[in-house]
Amino acid sequence: MKTTTEIPRSVALVGRPNVGKSRLFNRLVGRRISIVHDQPGVTRDLLTAEVDDGRFLLMDTGGIGLFEARLTPKVIADAVEEQVDFAINAASLVLLIADASEGCVPLDLEVAARLRAAGKRVLVVANKADTEERDAARDEFYAVGFGDPILISAEHGRGCDFLMRRIAEIIGPPDTTPKDTFRPIRLALAGRPNVGKSSLGNRLIGRSKLIVTDIAGTTRDPVRAPLEWTDPQGVLHRFDLVDTAGRRAANKRDTLDFFSHVRAGEILAQTDVVFLVIDATEGVTRIDLQLGGELVKSGAGIVVVVNKWDLAIKAFQDGGLQKFKDESLFRKKFTASLRKALFFLPEPPLLFVSALTGLRTDDMLAAAAGVYMRAGTEIPTGKINRAIQELMVKRAPRPVSGKRFKCYYVTQVSHRPIRFRLFCNSDERLEAGYERFLAKGVHEKFDLAGVPVFLDLVGKPKQEKRGFFVPQGTLPSELAENAAAKNARNKGGKFKAPKSTGGRGKGKNRGGKAAYRGPRAGVGGPTRLRSRKSRR
């Protein structure tokens, strides 16, 4: 095993597949972080979280022995084993998780031998002891050789309080020093499967924390990692990077993909800046467009990262792109194509990088820091009002239902995300295309590249039609008489009650058909051929 510096006050969950490590991880942390599923081998990457109750770092690992059980491809199983080795060496306490419903199995003894060779302090925890009938299996786990086993049920919380007390006895009481209130910038890697998100994450972190393979969908759980970067002015920036599962088409998702999609959506909703990773060999796809639209709605800042650009450079060296003079011209054409396809994004920075060679990957953190700073911009009310009026003079909105959209006053109500409130004549007359025109104009005017802008419309309250009070039980004939009396008073005449015609009147409103009176003079028939003299 490689030598790893031990992390103070850290606890690792280790065991064979499908013994409930992820469920216990969520139980101790107090919130849902790790994906829990009945299928063995779901957890692959190393997940970490702070437990507020005891103030210690908890690490969730993948199951040991995945390849022997033929549950995972060998390349992924080897990467999982490497992550487990790191967690064992870095933890100050290891919890060996077993299954009380199955008892002590040979693979549990193999894991115990591995922990004994590492020289770590170990607690044996028998999970899934949901009922008292399963407490009889406790004696089997003495064969592991790490003292008294602890029986718990991570699903129902049985025995978890006792486990927390045992952890506190070993690692000591929590540090009472106040925590640093500074919050790092939250970053996330998002994109389709196998576009190189985990490779980019490892390049930024500086070590292989994220499992990387050619198998699409390797990453399932969102994996966090802290980062630090010093800008050219010497200012230190701290980040919290999260690698999310690849986005698949809805008709190609299984149950695990569904849970990964839900967890990724929850993470992206809490992210400050998102790296939208696109494969240079495939360009923008339908899934990229869908994901980009969701990112805009979330309000997070956006940086578009075109990965695998080393393949484009290699294609020029091999003469595969002869119709372009050089790589810079091809990059310019590629940029124009991306901007056209992703027209709905808020003019984000566009980076051409290679996770394999490290090409321009250092620019990613600089771009993210810039987008985050711009997202905190506060625009004075006078400037934003002048900008909106200039845009509306430059291009007037089209009339909707015969009336044109008018904006009377604009004010900024929030930042991160930036949101403006527009007081207008009607919130129903602003077309989606014109709204994008206003947002794009604000981006260009105030240098808000990569920052979504939201426009909240507040229209004039609609006036309700004036009515009159009708006493209960009033007949329609009485309403007609009251209306006729009111008209007579307004005209100064004498009111006469309408007479009933019995449905045989001559007029159109008397009921029945009007009597035929023959053609009018001068209208139709031979009367039109008579001369004026003969008509006299």
Side-chain angles (χ1 to χ4, degrees):
M1 294 183 182
K2 297 179 181 179
T3 303
T4 305
T5 303
E6 183 175 294
I7 302 175
R9 302 186 60 78
S10 60
V11 179
L13 304 179
V14 178
R16 59 187 176 88
N18 206 28
V19 293
K21 297 185 297 298
S22 296
R23 192 178 294 276
L24 179 59
F25 179 83
N26 292 338
R27 169 71 66 176
L28 297 181
V29 173
R31 60 186 185 277
R32 186 180 60 188
I33 297 178
S34 182
I35 295 177
V36 177
H37 197 275
D38 293 336
Q39 177 180 329
V42 172
T43 303
R44 294 173 174 175
D45 290 287
L46 176 64
L47 304 180
T48 60
E50 289 282 346
V51 179
D52 295 334
D53 189 13
R55 288 203 179 182
F56 61 86
L57 179 68
L58 187 63
M59 295 180 282
D60 183 22
T61 63
I64 297 177
L66 289 172
F67 181 68
E68 287 79 0
R70 301 186 182 277
L71 298 173
T72 304
K74 187 177 187 307
V75 61
I76 297 180
D78 292 342
V80 171
E81 298 282 345
E82 184 179 351
Q83 301 276 22
V84 174
D85 287 340
F86 174 84
I88 292 174
N89 290 309
S92 55
L93 173 64
V94 178
L95 302 184
L96 173 55
I97 312 300
D99 190 342
S101 63
E102 298 179 1
C104 185
V105 300
L107 189 53
D108 293 329
L109 300 178
E110 294 181 17
V111 176
R114 189 170 176 176
L115 296 178
R116 191 174 292 108
K120 290 292 180 177
R121 181 68 184 271
V122 179
L123 284 178
V124 179
V125 179
N127 190 25
K128 302 185 182 181
D130 302 331
T131 60
E132 295 181 356
E133 287 77 8
R134 294 184 179 179
D135 293 349
R138 177 180 179 180
D139 296 339
E140 297 184 28
F141 295 102
Y142 279 101
V144 177
F146 288 113
D148 296 335
I150 301 175
L151 297 177
I152 68 164
S153 173
E155 183 173 3
H156 303 290
R158 181 172 181 249
C160 291
D161 293 338
F162 178 74
L163 175 61
M164 288 291 291
R165 290 195 297 269
R166 290 287 291 126
I167 294 174
E169 291 174 2
I170 296 174
I171 65 175
D175 188 6
T176 57
T177 304
K179 286 185 178 182
D180 186 4
T181 57
F182 178 80
R183 185 180 69 82
I185 302 174
R186 294 171 293 195
L187 308 179
L189 293 162
R192 296 182 293 109
N194 213 25
V195 296
K197 300 184 298 298
S198 297
S199 299
L200 286 172
N202 287 335
R203 178 67 67 172
L204 295 176
I205 296 170
R207 60 182 177 87
S208 299
K209 179 179 179 179
L210 308 177
I211 297 178
V212 179
T213 69
D214 293 333
I215 302 174
T218 300
T219 302
R220 289 173 175 171
D221 292 287
V223 185
R224 295 182 178 273
L227 289 173
E228 289 186 351
W229 173 73
T230 303
D231 61 17
Q233 288 74 30
V235 180
L236 178 64
H237 300 267
R238 286 190 283 179
F239 304 95
D240 188 13
L241 178 66
V242 181
D243 180 23
T244 62
R247 178 64 59 89
R248 295 180 182 270
N251 58 349
K252 295 183 179 180
R253 296 177 191 161
D254 55 16
T255 55
L256 286 179
D257 292 329
F258 172 76
F259 288 121
S260 298
H261 172 76
V262 172
R263 291 293 297 121
E266 294 173 354
I267 293 297
L268 294 177
Q270 303 170 359
T271 302
D272 297 319
V273 182
V274 179
F275 295 113
L276 177 58
V277 184
I278 296 176
D279 193 334
T281 62
E282 299 181 11
V284 179
T285 64
R286 179 175 57 86
I287 298 179
D288 295 325
L289 297 176
Q290 293 176 353
L291 182 57
E294 294 177 10
L295 295 180
V296 172
K297 293 180 180 179
S298 70
I302 302 174
V303 177
V304 177
V305 179
V306 181
N307 192 25
K308 305 181 184 180
W309 195 248
D310 58 301
L311 298 179
I313 298 177
K314 187 176 183 300
F316 274 103
Q317 295 174 352
D318 298 340
L321 298 173
Q322 298 179 356
K323 61 180 180 179
F324 298 98
K325 294 182 179 179
D326 52 17
E327 183 263 342
S328 61
L329 179 60
F330 177 67
R331 187 170 65 248
K332 183 177 180 181
K333 294 291 185 180
F334 201 99
T335 300
S337 177
L338 282 180
R339 295 291 187 192
K340 183 178 180 180
L342 302 173
F343 67 94
F344 53 90
L345 296 185
E347 299 295 327
L350 186 58
L351 304 178
F352 294 87
V353 304
S354 171
L356 182 63
T357 64
L359 175 68
R360 303 190 187 98
T361 53
D362 294 337
D363 297 338
M364 294 175 60
L365 296 181
V371 171
Y372 180 77
M373 295 299 294
R374 290 191 290 271
T377 303
E378 295 186 0
I379 303 176
T381 302
K383 290 185 177 181
I384 187 60
N385 276 271
R386 286 192 295 270
I388 293 295
Q389 293 301 327
E390 290 173 0
L391 290 171
M392 296 187 67
V393 170
K394 180 180 178 181
R395 174 186 162 186
R398 295 190 305 175
V400 177
S401 301
K403 295 185 179 180
R404 201 180 298 273
F405 173 80
K406 295 180 181 179
C407 180
Y408 305 121
Y409 182 74
V410 186
T411 182
Q412 183 177 353
V413 295
S414 68
H415 58 273
R416 296 194 181 103
I418 293 180
R419 189 178 298 273
F420 297 101
R421 184 166 296 166
L422 279 68
F423 296 88
C424 52
N425 57 342
S426 175
D427 55 359
E428 300 176 355
R429 297 195 182 110
L430 182 61
E431 296 178 328
Y434 196 78
E435 183 176 358
R436 286 196 299 268
F437 165 74
L438 294 179
K440 184 176 181 180
V442 172
H443 278 115
E444 297 175 353
K445 178 72 174 179
F446 300 102
D447 188 21
L448 300 176
V451 181
V453 171
F454 296 93
L455 305 179
D456 295 337
L457 305 181
V458 180
K460 285 184 176 180
K462 296 181 180 180
Q463 295 183 355
E464 298 182 359
K465 295 182 179 180
R466 297 178 61 184
F468 54 90
F469 174 72
V470 179
Q472 187 174 3
T474 304
L475 299 176
S477 58
E478 297 178 1
L479 294 177
E481 293 180 3
N482 294 337
K486 183 177 181 180
N487 292 334
R489 288 194 299 270
N490 293 337
K491 294 179 180 180
K494 187 176 180 181
F495 167 67
K496 292 183 179 180
K499 296 181 180 179
S500 175
T501 60
R504 298 189 301 272
K506 298 179 182 179
K508 296 181 180 179
N509 298 329
R510 299 291 180 87
K513 296 182 179 180
Y516 176 70
R517 301 170 62 183
R520 290 179 294 166
V523 180
T527 54
R528 296 187 61 183
L529 301 178
R530 298 184 205 172
S531 63
R532 182 177 301 177
K533 184 175 180 181
S534 62
R535 286 200 300 270
R536 292 178 180 175

